[in-house]
Amino acid sequence: MHFRWNNPSPLPHLEAKIQQTHSLARLLTKYAEQLLQEYVQHQGDPFGLPGFSPPRLPVADLSDPAPGHAGLPVPERLRLDAAALAALPPLLDVVRRLQGELNPRALRLLRRLEDAARQVRALGAAVEAVLAALGPSRGPRPEPAAAAIAAATASAGVFRAKLLGFRVCGLYLEWVSRPGPAGAGGPA
Amino acid sequence: MVDISLCVKRPSWLVDRKRMRMASNSQWLLLTAVLLYLTNQVNSQKKSTPHDLKCVTNNLKVWDCSWRALFGAGRAASYEVCIEKRSRTCYLLEKNTTIPPLLPGHYEITVHPLYEFGSSKSKFILNEKNISLIPETPEILNLSADFSTSTLHLKWNDKGSVFPHYSNVIWEIKVLHKKNMEIVKLVTYSTTLNGRDTIHHWNWTSDMPLECAIHYVGIRCYIDDPQFSGHKEWSDWSLLKNISLPPDSQTKVFPQDKVILAGSDITVCCVTQEKVLSAQIGSTHCPLIHLDGENVAIRIRNISASASSGTNVVFSVEDNIFGTVVFAGYPPDIPQKLNCETYDLKEIICTWNTGRPTSLEGPRSTSYTLFESFSGKYVRFNGDEVSANENYQLFFQILSNQEIHNFTLNAQNLLGQTESTLLVNITEKVHPRIPTSLKAKDINSTAVILSWHLPGNFTKVKLLCQIEINKTNSEHELRNVTMRGESSNYLTTVDKLNPYTIYTFRIRCSTDPFWKWSKWSNEKQCLTTEAIPSKGPDIWREWSSDGRNLIIYWKPLPINEAYGKILSYNVSYSSDEETKSLSEIPDTQHRAELQLDKNDYIISVVAKNSAGSSPPSKIASMEIPNDDLKIEQALGMGNRILLTWNYDPNMTCDYVIKWCNSSQSGPCLMDWKKVPPNSTETVIESDQFRPGVRYNFSVYGCRNQGYQLLRSVIGYVEELAPAVAPNFTVEDTSADSILVKWEEIPVEELRGFLRGYLFYFEKGERDTSKIMGLEPGRFDTKVKNITDISQKTLRIADLQGRTSYHLVLRAYTGGGMGPERSMFVVTKENSEGLIIAILIPVAVAVIIGVVTSILCYRKREWIKETFYPDIPNPENCKALQFQKSVCEGNSALKTLEMNPCTPNNVEVLETRSVALKIEDTEIISPVAERPEDRSDAEPENHVVVSYCPPVIEEELANPGAEGGGASQVIYIDVQSMYQPQAKPEGELDSDPVGGAGYKPQMHLPVTSTVDDLDADDDLDKTAGYRPQANVNTWNLVSPDSPRSTDSNSEIVSFGSPCSINSRQFLIPPKDEDSPKSSGGGWSFTNFFQNKPND
């Protein structure tokens, strides 16, 4: 599906930047799928079983990409994307740390988690750049509460940590693949 | 009334103990009897008197006694209680009161109400055995829970201070859970009372997490005082205390992240307000165990070892899941292959193998602690670190002045711990690191100094280092050096090297005592400096072909003798009178030519390098003559050839073997080789040797710098077949011989030692003859092998004149046959022989004719009698005249009528018996046969010879009948009219003589047998004329008779025709029309022939 700008781009390079962002998001979609698949492989059953759908844990600072976001203006949608992409890396870091304790020999999973955090940061920066080109930003973004999440998860037990990782990996995939300016299904 | 039933209420184990005490039992019996008596006494008292005295104790310090009184009850009555045994003691007491414990024995207790009238004293007999010991109800001081381990901690006071002496106490503790208080545990716990209050603890770990359900605990006790002989009873249960759930727990599933031993059982519960739909471990669903409310649990038995991330246990409610992770693993294995060594004597590195994996990773993995007992220090391995394999290592800093280390490696995880120990003297476990910074510096042409860096503190030990010395085209050499340990830098001298040689060094080190070598250092290359050449060049000399110049040859010095780069050569020659030198010859030139006279000179050659000149190599210009010299042959193999010679003690210098290609013109020198003077053989090897090439080898012996030729050898390293065929010509040809001459094959074409020639010849024209060589079957080809290689001619004799011959000649060597060369030669015509060949047969024929004529003339009478006897005229025969008349039709005469139907036939009957036939040399008529003879002969064997001239006369013409008689005589077979049957074949074969027919000419001896074939042969040979031999030729009369078709039949014609009364033969007529007549009959042509059939 192609995203179509409602407004003509104010700068000639904006479209190119958007295209780059979209390409990056599409690439990350593939990576996110691989990460999710790799993640469930190392958590044991029933994580890898078909039909396993745990409840969607609430994650601080990060919500599901709602269908209603599609009706929002592009800048607003980009702000939502940017906020989500800003919240994801610390969460991925938390998952990486938890998995480091749980699966210290799953080097490929750990590397994918590290890469995912880095790639999401890159994508977030790209979205921020597009957003900045569209207009003044709304000010500093609040710090993500990843540390608190990590602490809470650690005390909640390993199963909870596994669920959190599953949730974060799923959110990562949903955000980078959702239709929209920063998503792989996006501009078009 | 005393309650005697107390005595039977005891724990079974206590009863058992009592049973062991036999004395106490007897006391009990006695006590029972006394109490029965007292009971009777008391019952006999009035109801108003005190009765039913009962005493109990809970601390053995006082007895609580009470009794019943009908009227005094309810009043504050006072009693005088007197206890009397040996003395009397009275107390003023209430109704229920305490008394001090009494010593063992019977006491009389008198209870007298003080203020009740009408009542009487009551007397009781009291004994300790009637007393019951009932401890006070224990009180739980504290009940706590460790939810992480599902452990209950119980604490209580034994109140031992109230007991006067030591006693054993048995505590019974019960654990109940759920609201319906199901007992899940009931245990006993033994302690002792020591006179002081003691707090006791008891821990219990629940299979089910304590969070899953509420748990209650109660306790009671039983005091087993060995000095107390009364009844002992359990105390009452204490008040139950319970453990409630943690108040603010968000976790719904218990236990959380539990680490358990693989193969064990575990209970997992879910505390929830919602209805749990299912529970599963991994992918396996489990049955639910319902607890209080909606809480459920599952029981997992024999759990398998978990993966790294643990085993998930999940409870599902309608819209959510709750879970926990169980880590099932193993306690650490004993560390294996623990080894401690040091690289540098500063730090010890201990390595080990973990053994069996624990299946526990991350924070649950095994932690290792390396503890050194002498120093008390330890280092710890962080269990979170992931080793790439199962090998782990820890570093331990060496303390100064400590060599002996006693290490204990402790492995621990949540499931257990193990350890491994190692006692090591670290100075004996030095494994140095790789030496670095290896350098080499030359001292002189044969020694260098090596230096290197070896990190570590080796001052307390000796270093043992190994230097590997590599030289180009040489095997490496190892040298060990021992040195005192230094801090880090070392050097050593390496001597006994060759000058001007490139060496490659590398080094490795260990310590003394040896433990392990370090790795080899990097290589270091070094070139030693030059030295003067160790010896002069290897020289030889040859005179030029014209004999005027002497050419000096020398070989370049090998690098291990040159000791440097050869810059030039100096050549000088000296005689007794003078010494002359040539100018310096550059190193690229290795020959010099001298113009010398015939005097003997000593030529000297010196090689020079930058370090100096070599010792001179000398050789005399003149050769020591040797008159006794033969040329010998030798064969080699491959590219080498073995030469031998006899030991000559006079040869003191050395031996020189010089060789060259024999076909080479000019000075014959290809190369030379010097061998030590004590040698008697050497192998000459050269890549220049080629198969099929002849080389001349000359062995020289050296004596006072002069050389004498000892042996001259021609040889091949490998023989080949000749390359060409020898040229040959025909020198002379005669009618029966050819003289062939051939030439030698040149040495270059011969390609081997000539072993001989092969000469083939056969009849044949050009283009039709082809000699196939010495192939089998070619018998018409004649071969001559000429092994005398000096022979160059060959005469071939016994040939036929005027005949073309094909001649082939080829040479052969040890390498095989060479090609062939052929030629066709026609021998000359032999005229004299032809003449002789014609004349001799003619002369012989003439002589034979003459002799034959003479003989025939002289023997004409005999011949006539023999071959042409006079045949009597039948007309003169009386009998025949008579017969003739008969034949003419006088039927009245019957005398000679043999066959009324066939008159004029003469029948001769004969048996098959040979003896008879031979014996009867006359024609025997059937009438004349004697009866005795007939008995021997079978009648059917009679042979009938019919004589019927008129018949013959009618059927056959007889042109050959010279006699011209009117009658024709012929033999016919007349078969007996009585026996027409043929005899069996076997019988016929056994009687060949039977077919011989009539043999009247000889009187042959009669033999008794007819089977003697030899005798038959003899008969055949000696029977003389036997024209009857083939009787078939005579079967002319009755061609349709059986006899005529079977020549082998025993029924044969008999005899020659003759007159009946005469012995003269009747010559059969010559019948040319009959083919059989020539075979069996006699004719003139048979006179000269041996084989009638020819």
Side-chain angles (χ1 to χ4, degrees):
Chain A
M1 166 179 156
H2 283 281
F3 177 84
R4 188 181 300 279
W5 285 107
N6 295 329
N7 300 322
S9 67
L11 295 173
H13 66 274
L14 184 57
E15 273 197 39
K17 197 175 283 289
I18 291 171
Q19 285 296 336
Q20 287 178 353
T21 307
H22 174 62
S23 299
L24 181 59
R26 202 160 46 186
L27 181 67
L28 294 194
T29 301
K30 192 184 303 179
Y31 290 163
E33 290 171 351
Q34 294 172 350
L35 172 64
L36 185 59
Q37 189 176 0
E38 185 91 22
Y39 182 84
V40 298
Q41 282 179 0
H42 286 91
Q43 309 313 310
D45 290 339
F47 281 87
L49 297 178
F52 176 72
S53 57
R56 304 173 75 87
L57 290 180
V59 179
D61 300 331
L62 187 61
S63 60
D64 295 331
H69 292 176
L72 295 175
V74 170
E76 190 60 30
R77 290 168 58 189
L78 283 175
R79 283 190 197 94
L80 289 173
D81 291 341
L85 295 175
L88 269 172
L91 292 169
L92 288 168
D93 289 340
V94 170
V95 175
R96 160 68 181 84
R97 194 167 66 251
L98 293 172
Q99 289 298 311
E101 294 179 353
L102 205 54
N103 291 298
R105 297 179 193 275
L107 301 179
R108 193 167 57 182
L109 170 65
L110 302 179
R111 193 176 63 248
R112 283 188 192 279
L113 286 168
E114 291 172 3
D115 294 344
R118 211 165 36 245
Q119 290 154 355
V120 169
R121 285 191 182 95
L123 182 62
V127 172
E128 291 282 359
V130 174
L131 200 56
L134 290 177
S137 64
R138 285 188 172 180
R141 194 176 307 282
E143 284 296 320
I149 294 171
T153 306
S155 64
V158 174
F159 188 76
R160 188 91 175 169
K162 288 183 178 182
L163 285 180
L164 175 68
F166 184 76
R167 175 77 170 130
V168 169
C169 291
L171 283 171
Y172 168 44
L173 175 60
E174 289 173 3
W175 276 105
V176 296
S177 62
R178 80 179 188 89
Chain B
M1 186 174 134
V2 176
D3 189 1
I4 60 172
S5 63
L6 288 175
C7 64
V8 296
K9 276 295 224 177
R10 297 175 188 279
S12 59
W13 64 271
L14 197 57
V15 172
D16 293 339
R17 292 176 61 184
K18 286 294 181 181
R19 283 172 183 167
M20 297 174 65
R21 296 187 300 179
M22 299 302 294
S24 297
N25 288 340
S26 60
Q27 290 177 359
W28 268 99
L29 291 174
L30 182 60
L31 177 63
T32 303
V34 171
L35 287 175
L36 286 173
Y37 171 75
L38 288 175
T39 302
N40 291 331
Q41 290 296 322
V42 170
N43 286 332
S44 64
Q45 298 297 323
K46 294 179 179 177
K47 295 291 183 181
S48 60
T49 58
H51 58 94
D52 289 349
L53 177 65
K54 183 178 181 181
C55 295
V56 298
T57 179
N58 55 25
N59 55 16
L60 299 178
K61 286 186 176 178
V62 293
W63 293 359
D64 294 326
C65 296
S66 61
W67 57 87
R68 292 183 183 179
L70 186 62
F71 301 115
R75 296 184 189 177
S78 295
Y79 296 90
E80 183 188 44
V81 178
C82 295
I83 302 171
E84 181 178 356
K85 190 176 182 183
R86 292 174 186 153
S87 61
R88 179 183 177 89
T89 306
C90 293
Y91 303 93
L92 186 62
L93 300 173
E94 299 293 330
K95 177 183 175 184
N96 294 324
T97 186
T98 59
I99 61 173
L102 301 178
L103 294 174
H106 295 285
Y107 295 87
E108 185 181 81
I109 307 295
T110 304
V111 180
H112 180 225
L114 295 179
Y115 307 109
E116 294 284 343
F117 295 98
S119 63
S120 61
K121 293 182 181 176
S122 297
K123 288 187 179 178
F124 305 94
I125 300 299
L126 186 61
N127 193 308
E128 188 187 55
K129 294 175 182 174
N130 303 122
I131 306 302
S132 295
L133 173 59
I134 302 174
E136 284 188 5
T137 301
E139 183 182 359
I140 295 174
L141 293 181
N142 187 28
L143 177 65
S144 60
D146 182 356
F147 289 98
S148 63
T149 59
S150 300
T151 303
L152 289 175
H153 301 286
L154 180 66
K155 187 164 67 175
W156 71 95
N157 192 338
D158 66 358
K159 297 179 181 175
S161 59
V162 301
F163 282 85
H165 44 75
Y166 285 88
S167 299
N168 295 324
V169 184
I170 301 168
W171 306 92
E172 191 170 49
I173 306 167
K174 64 180 179 183
V175 180
L176 308 93
H177 75 170
K178 301 202 299 188
K179 291 177 180 175
N180 56 2
M181 292 191 181
E182 294 175 7
I183 293 180
V184 292
K185 192 68 179 179
L186 183 63
V187 296
T188 56
Y189 179 79
S190 297
T191 62
T192 55
L193 301 176
N194 55 9
R196 296 191 303 270
D197 288 350
T198 304
I199 305 297
H200 293 281
H201 300 270
W202 178 76
N203 299 328
W204 174 72
T205 300
S206 171
D207 291 337
M208 178 184 290
L210 299 179
E211 299 93 334
C212 296
I214 188 168
H215 284 73
Y216 306 90
V217 177
I219 188 171
R220 65 176 181 173
C221 65
Y222 177 92
I223 296 175
D224 183 21
D225 188 341
Q227 298 178 11
F228 177 70
S229 59
H231 294 282
K232 300 166 189 171
E233 298 182 20
W234 282 100
S235 72
D236 292 332
W237 285 102
S238 69
L239 291 175
L240 293 177
K241 286 211 169 187
N242 68 317
I243 293 293
S244 56
L245 297 179
D248 196 16
S249 172
Q250 294 180 345
T251 307
K252 299 284 186 178
V253 178
F254 302 99
Q256 280 290 311
D257 310 336
K258 180 82 170 177
V259 178
I260 63 170
L261 183 66
S264 61
D265 302 340
I266 184 174
T267 300
V268 182
C269 69
C270 179
V271 178
T272 177
Q273 301 298 320
E274 303 174 66
K275 182 176 178 58
V276 176
L277 302 177
S278 66
Q280 64 187 109
I281 172 171
S283 58
T284 306
H285 288 268
C286 302
L288 297 175
I289 302 170
H290 291 278
L291 305 176
D292 293 333
E294 297 295 338
N295 297 350
V296 294
I298 58 172
R299 183 74 173 163
I300 304 167
R301 300 185 185 279
N302 192 20
I303 189 170
S304 304
S306 304
S308 174
S309 63
T311 303
N312 300 314
V313 179
V314 179
F315 293 88
S316 299
V317 296
E318 187 168 357
D319 57 351
N320 205 347
I321 62 170
F322 305 102
T324 185
V325 177
V326 177
F327 296 92
Y330 299 95
D333 199 358
I334 296 174
Q336 297 170 359
K337 298 179 183 177
L338 175 61
N339 178 46
C340 294
E341 61 185 23
T342 179
Y343 289 130
D344 49 13
L345 281 174
K346 294 179 178 177
E347 191 178 50
I348 297 174
I349 176 172
C350 292
T351 59
W352 68 92
N353 189 288
T354 59
R356 182 187 62 180
T358 62
S359 298
L360 302 175
E361 301 281 358
R364 292 160 290 277
S365 63
T366 306
S367 65
Y368 292 91
T369 303
L370 183 67
F371 177 71
E372 202 286 305
S373 60
F374 295 139
S375 63
K377 293 194 172 186
Y378 65 90
V379 288
R380 185 165 289 161
F381 182 86
N382 188 357
D384 293 340
E385 297 174 11
V386 178
S387 173
N389 47 35
E390 298 305 322
N391 294 319
Y392 290 78
Q393 63 181 20
L394 271 176
F395 293 91
F396 187 88
Q397 294 298 321
I398 296 177
L399 300 176
S400 59
N401 301 323
Q402 182 180 356
E403 296 180 355
I404 308 295
H405 293 75
N406 185 20
F407 288 110
T408 299
L409 179 66
N410 180 274
Q412 185 173 17
N413 68 7
L414 294 172
L415 297 176
Q417 64 175 11
T418 57
E419 64 182 26
S420 180
T421 59
L422 179 70
L423 181 65
V424 61
N425 182 349
I426 202 62
T427 60
E428 297 174 353
K429 302 284 185 180
V430 181
H431 182 193
R433 296 183 187 276
I434 180 171
T436 57
S437 304
L438 178 63
K439 295 175 183 174
K441 184 179 180 183
D442 54 346
I443 303 173
N444 52 44
S445 61
T446 59
V448 297
I449 292 178
L450 289 181
S451 63
W452 65 93
H453 178 77
L454 186 64
N457 181 14
F458 300 103
T459 53
K460 295 178 183 176
V461 295
K462 283 185 177 179
L463 272 186
L464 173 64
C465 293
Q466 196 169 52
I467 303 169
E468 185 187 78
I469 305 170
N470 274 310
K471 195 166 60 174
T472 308
N473 298 327
S474 176
E475 290 190 355
H476 70 268
E477 176 188 355
L478 291 175
R479 294 188 193 177
N480 291 336
V481 291
T482 304
M483 59 191 69
R484 198 162 57 87
E486 302 289 345
S487 57
S488 55
N489 294 319
Y490 302 88
L491 57 86
T492 187
T493 302
V494 181
D495 55 2
K496 298 178 183 174
L497 303 175
N498 290 332
Y500 197 62
T501 304
I502 297 175
Y503 287 96
T504 303
F505 303 98
R506 62 175 184 168
I507 193 167
R508 63 179 180 179
C509 291
S510 70
T511 56
D512 189 16
F514 177 80
W515 169 240
K516 286 180 181 176
W517 286 113
S518 70
K519 292 183 179 178
W520 284 104
S521 69
N522 292 331
E523 293 181 341
K524 183 66 180 177
Q525 206 171 55
C526 177
L527 174 64
T528 52
T529 56
E530 292 189 12
I532 59 172
S534 61
K535 56 192 291 190
D538 185 3
I539 63 174
W540 187 245
R541 49 100 183 94
E542 286 287 320
W543 284 96
S544 61
S545 55
D546 57 3
R548 292 182 179 176
N549 295 337
L550 184 68
I551 305 170
I552 306 297
Y553 300 94
W554 62 89
K555 295 179 182 178
L557 281 171
I559 190 68
N560 58 346
E561 293 175 351
Y563 289 173
K565 177 175 171 49
I566 299 299
L567 303 174
S568 63
Y569 296 96
N570 279 349
V571 178
S572 62
Y573 53 98
S574 62
S575 64
D576 296 337
E577 301 167 354
E578 59 178 354
T579 298
K580 291 184 179 178
S581 297
L582 299 180
S583 59
E584 278 193 347
I585 299 172
D587 65 313
T588 55
Q589 184 175 333
H590 299 102
R591 70 190 293 270
E593 197 163 345
L594 305 175
Q595 284 188 344
L596 300 177
D597 52 26
K598 295 302 178 184
N599 292 330
D600 194 8
Y601 287 90
I602 299 295
I603 294 95
S604 173
V605 179
V606 168
K608 293 175 68 176
N609 64 11
S610 62
S613 299
S614 70
S617 296
K618 295 182 178 180
I619 190 170
S621 62
M622 302 305 290
E623 188 172 311
I624 303 171
N626 185 358
D627 298 332
D628 185 18
L629 193 63
K630 295 178 183 175
I631 296 178
E632 302 167 45
Q633 293 183 350
L635 272 177
M637 181 177 294
N639 60 349
R640 51 198 297 176
I641 188 166
L642 174 67
L643 296 177
T644 59
W645 59 88
N646 295 325
Y647 174 73
D648 189 346
N650 295 326
M651 301 305 162
T652 55
C653 312
D654 48 32
Y655 289 97
V656 170
I657 295 90
K658 179 197 79 171
W659 65 92
C660 65
N661 188 336
S662 64
S663 61
Q664 187 176 352
S665 61
C668 178
L669 179 63
M670 211 167 128
D671 202 353
W672 74 92
K673 177 184 179 182
K674 284 188 178 178
V675 294
N678 54 356
S679 303
T680 58
E681 65 176 25
T682 187
V683 174
I684 305 298
E685 187 171 2
S686 172
D687 293 335
Q688 297 177 336
F689 286 150
R690 296 286 179 269
V693 177
R694 177 177 291 184
Y695 296 99
N696 291 336
F697 297 90
S698 301
V699 181
Y700 292 90
C702 174
R703 186 169 57 193
N704 298 328
Q705 299 169 349
Y707 285 89
Q708 182 182 31
L709 181 60
L710 302 179
R711 290 188 65 192
S712 181
V713 180
I714 58 174
Y716 293 88
V717 291
E718 183 184 351
E719 286 186 283
L720 299 178
V724 299
N727 286 325
F728 75 102
T729 57
V730 175
E731 292 292 309
D732 184 28
T733 305
S734 65
D736 61 348
S737 67
I738 299 171
L739 178 62
V740 177
K741 183 179 181 182
W742 60 87
E743 302 172 356
E744 285 188 353
I745 300 175
V747 171
E748 300 82 42
E749 308 292 346
L750 197 57
R751 305 199 302 178
F753 294 118
L754 181 65
R755 307 294 184 195
Y757 300 92
L758 282 181
F759 193 90
Y760 313 81
F761 64 97
E762 65 173 359
K763 291 180 183 178
E765 300 288 343
R766 187 181 299 275
D767 300 331
T768 59
S769 174
K770 184 177 182 182
I771 293 179
M772 303 300 291
L774 292 174
E775 295 178 1
R778 297 282 299 179
F779 55 86
D780 54 343
T781 300
K782 294 180 179 176
V783 181
K784 287 185 179 297
N785 185 8
I786 302 155
T787 56
D788 181 8
I789 60 173
S790 63
Q791 181 178 340
K792 294 293 182 287
T793 61
L794 174 68
R795 176 173 291 281
I796 310 165
D798 299 332
L799 303 180
Q800 294 181 0
R802 200 175 179 75
T803 304
S804 175
Y805 283 92
H806 183 197
L807 310 179
V808 173
L809 182 63
R810 60 199 307 191
Y812 62 93
T813 66
M817 289 283 180
E820 63 185 31
R821 190 180 299 277
S822 64
M823 179 183 292
F824 290 86
V825 178
V826 180
T827 54
K828 292 180 179 178
E829 187 175 5
N830 189 353
S831 58
E832 296 174 357
L834 181 62
I835 295 170
I836 292 172
I838 294 172
L839 289 181
I840 288 175
V842 170
V844 170
V846 170
I847 293 170
I848 291 173
V850 171
V851 171
T852 304
S853 301
I854 294 171
L855 287 176
C856 290
Y857 178 76
R858 288 191 176 180
K859 298 292 183 179
R860 62 184 180 278
E861 293 299 327
W862 177 80
I863 292 172
K864 183 175 182 301
E865 290 177 359
T866 303
F867 297 103
Y868 300 98
D870 293 333
I871 300 174
N873 190 351
E875 295 178 353
N876 298 329
C877 178
K878 300 295 185 186
L880 292 177
Q881 286 175 353
F882 177 76
Q883 193 176 17
K884 184 176 179 182
S885 62
V886 172
C887 296
E888 287 176 350
N890 189 359
S891 59
L893 297 175
K894 305 297 183 180
T895 307
L896 294 176
E897 183 177 348
M898 304 303 289
N899 188 344
C901 298
T902 56
N904 298 331
N905 278 349
V906 179
E907 294 184 358
V908 181
L909 299 179
E910 184 188 42
T911 66
R912 286 192 76 241
S913 169
V914 174
L916 289 176
K917 287 188 286 184
I918 295 173
E919 185 180 18
D920 187 6
T921 57
E922 297 177 357
I923 297 175
I924 302 172
S925 69
V927 181
E929 278 187 285
R930 289 173 296 187
E932 57 274 19
D933 293 335
R934 291 175 62 94
S935 64
D936 293 334
E938 297 179 2
E940 58 268 25
N941 288 339
H942 290 172
V943 176
V944 178
V945 178
S946 298
Y947 179 52
C948 193
V951 175
I952 298 301
E953 208 169 29
E954 291 175 2
E955 295 181 356
L956 298 172
N958 190 4
E962 190 178 347
S967 64
Q968 294 295 322
V969 181
I970 188 168
Y971 287 95
I972 61 172
D973 289 337
V974 181
Q975 192 170 8
S976 170
M977 62 180 69
Y978 310 107
Q979 287 127 14
Q981 302 93 335
K983 290 288 287 180
E985 269 188 37
E987 197 170 340
L988 293 174
D989 294 341
S990 64
D991 191 12
V993 179
Y998 171 59
K999 303 177 183 66
Q1001 300 87 346
M1002 299 290 290
H1003 180 80
L1004 299 174
V1006 176
T1007 58
S1008 59
T1009 176
V1010 297
D1011 299 328
D1012 192 347
L1013 296 178
D1014 293 336
D1016 296 340
D1017 292 340
D1018 293 338
L1019 286 175
D1020 292 340
K1021 292 174 183 176
T1022 58
Y1025 168 59
R1026 278 166 293 190
Q1028 306 86 344
N1030 190 348
V1031 295
N1032 294 332
T1033 60
W1034 296 349
N1035 294 341
L1036 302 176
V1037 175
S1038 302
D1040 55 345
S1041 69
R1043 185 62 51 207
S1044 64
T1045 59
D1046 189 0
S1047 62
N1048 293 328
S1049 174
E1050 72 279 13
I1051 304 172
V1052 296
S1053 300
F1054 181 79
S1056 170
C1058 66
S1059 64
I1060 296 173
N1061 299 324
S1062 169
R1063 293 182 179 235
Q1064 294 297 322
F1065 291 109
L1066 301 179
I1067 301 304
K1070 185 177 181 182
D1071 188 1
E1072 294 180 351
D1073 295 333
S1074 173
K1076 296 182 180 178
S1077 61
S1078 62
W1082 184 92
S1083 66
F1084 182 78
T1085 55
N1086 292 340
F1087 185 76
F1088 293 105
Q1089 293 181 355
N1090 293 329
K1091 296 179 180 178
N1093 293 330
D1094 288 345

